[in-house]
Amino acid sequence: MGAHFLAFDLGAESGRAMSGRLRAGVLDLAEVCRFPNESVGVDGSLYWDLPRLWLNIQRALERVGGDHRRVDTVGVDAWGCDYGLLGENGDLVGNPHHYRDARTDGVMDDVFERVPRSRIYDVTGIQFLPFNTLYQLIAAGRATPRLLEAATQLGTIPDLLNYWLTGELRAEYTNATTTQMIDARQRDWAVDLLAQLDVPSRLLPPLIEPGSLLGTLQASACAALAGTPVVAPACHDTGSAVASIPATGGRAFLSSGTWSLLGVEVRRPIITPEALEWNFTNEGGVCGTTRLLKNIGGLWLLQSCRRDWNRAGRSYEYGELMQAASDERLAFTSLFDPDDPAFLHPSDMPAAITAYCRRTAQPEPDSPATFTRAILESLAFKYRVVLDALEELTGSRITELQIVGGGSRNRLLNQFTADATGRSVLAGPVEATALGNIAMQMVAIGAVADLAEARGIIEHSFPVERFEPAAADAWDAQYRRFRDYVELTCV
């Protein structure tokens, strides 16, 4: 029969339940179900519908249990930064805000007036993003102080879901680091820093390492699977994605989807003046490692353009856009920094890109094909900027980039990335996050000897596609132009 694992992988657009079976050294992966994860706007604020997400998780559990399948363990991963508050009875106090909600606009600058940017980075080693939990909590303290005072505990999204699964609230380390409230060297909550900023550390649950057994599934979550062990994998989705592949020895990882998360796995945090200047992040990894990476505006740019075109009555499939954008006559027409603040939550993404090009005296994209080409080329060039900086920070040459996640299916972007970076690109596996989630479940129950064995099984079970660089001279010449549009501090 082999071992049977159930992974819940929750992203900013959808969630999925994935069934993994390990038999004779081969891992099979099958989708149990997929469900939307839609944000909800109310009176100018943006929220997640967490109860709806929980309902879909329960339905997936009931489907698995109704099929009378034996499940050895269950694990949940999700996105970072966002959180929910629990009241005195353990009930959720309001729906969690979405990280793209505008309530944190300007909060970082106010924080730096109280505690220097360098001090925060020296403690946490985390990239400065306006939606980090630290700034969300400070924004909440200003807008709804009584709500914060009434709360008894805080949980990030996967921590809350694990709480509903098991009745135990813990903070899994990889996801906790995305809050920018962890001391990266001590691997514990940065209580002194939080006290300086009047952030109530009393709300923070005990920390646990990825691969820990949280407890067992409660009957209230699913009667048919009650008693099934629940493992905290790397509860941060990128942490799980990286757990599925080796990202050392000259290979970097790129988790490509709504966001592009590009980095390497290192043994200890790299917290230096250069890392601070270039705004790199040291997020918790599995088995005591650190993920040194950069959070880059990813395919959100194209997703948003499609959304805005749909609103205008023009619907385009991704395949149609890729085919149109592959026209070489469109090459290098317009380039932009994907991390420009104007692209974080614009009301109209095509208009925001057009305004950027106008501001930088470039031709303005005038069709879905030219917008798509500009987005893909700009992302590929930004990957090169980040890879070059990673080499400087680590002192190690990076010769390969492994792209995982949904974006790894974008063959045009994969080839552009190889061309722009001058490095070999390995594409896949697509479901790396669910696979990494399952890898840590396998480690937790001893189904494999260690993470290296789990990664070897995944590599054997899910072959990748290789892309090699071409037309290096043309891309090199345009890269110099692209760098003119990228401020060093935005690297």
Side-chain angles (χ1 to χ4, degrees), residues 203-227:
L203 298 175
L204 305 175
L207 287 162
I208 58 171
E209 289 290 330
S212 298
L213 181 65
L214 273 166
T216 57
L217 200 67
Q218 299 185 107
S220 59
C222 178
L225 296 178

Side-chain angles (χ1 to χ4, degrees), residues 321-488:
L321 292 172
M322 294 308 112
Q323 181 63 36
S326 65
D327 186 343
E328 285 304 309
R329 291 173 296 180
L330 306 179
F332 311 123
T333 302
S334 306
L335 300 172
F336 58 86
D337 184 356
D339 293 324
D340 190 274
F343 304 138
L344 182 59
H345 48 71
S347 58
D348 185 320
M349 183 65 78
I353 293 173
T354 298
Y356 184 105
C357 293
R358 187 183 307 120
R359 189 171 71 247
T360 52
Q362 298 182 83
E364 298 172 15
D366 57 4
S367 68
T370 54
F371 276 104
T372 302
R373 182 84 182 207
I375 289 168
L376 299 186
E377 289 178 343
S378 298
L379 284 172
F381 277 133
K382 190 59 180 282
Y383 299 157
R384 176 170 172 176
V385 174
V386 174
L387 285 169
D388 291 348
L390 280 168
E391 288 185 340
E392 290 192 42
L393 290 173
T394 62
S396 300
R397 172 75 177 139
I398 297 171
T399 58
E400 291 183 335
L401 176 63
Q402 185 160 1
I403 303 178
V404 299
S408 68
R409 292 178 292 196
N410 191 320
R411 300 186 79 254
L412 186 60
L413 179 56
N414 293 342
Q415 187 59 58
F416 284 177
T417 300
D419 295 340
T421 65
R423 296 167 173 92
S424 299
V425 167
L426 307 177
V430 173
E431 297 291 355
T433 305
L435 290 169
N437 181 323
I438 290 170
M440 292 307 294
Q441 293 184 53
M442 292 194 292
V443 171
I445 65 168
V448 293
D450 52 26
L451 181 61
E453 182 181 350
R455 283 171 165 171
I457 290 170
I458 291 170
E459 186 174 14
H460 172 67
S461 305
F462 299 90
V464 300
E465 184 178 7
R466 181 178 287 269
F467 296 80
E468 296 295 346
D473 290 344
W475 283 84
D476 283 348
Q478 295 297 328
Y479 180 61
R480 289 189 290 272
R481 171 185 157 209
F482 174 77
R483 286 304 303 260
D484 290 339
Y485 305 131
V486 182
E487 294 182 24
L488 192 58

Side-chain angles (χ1 to χ4, degrees), residues 48 50 53 78-79 82-84 96 155-162 175:
W48 295 109
L50 197 59
L53 201 58
W79 66 97
D82 291 336
Y83 69 92
T156 64
I157 300 301
D159 295 334
L160 289 173
L161 295 171
N162 281 327
N175 208 58

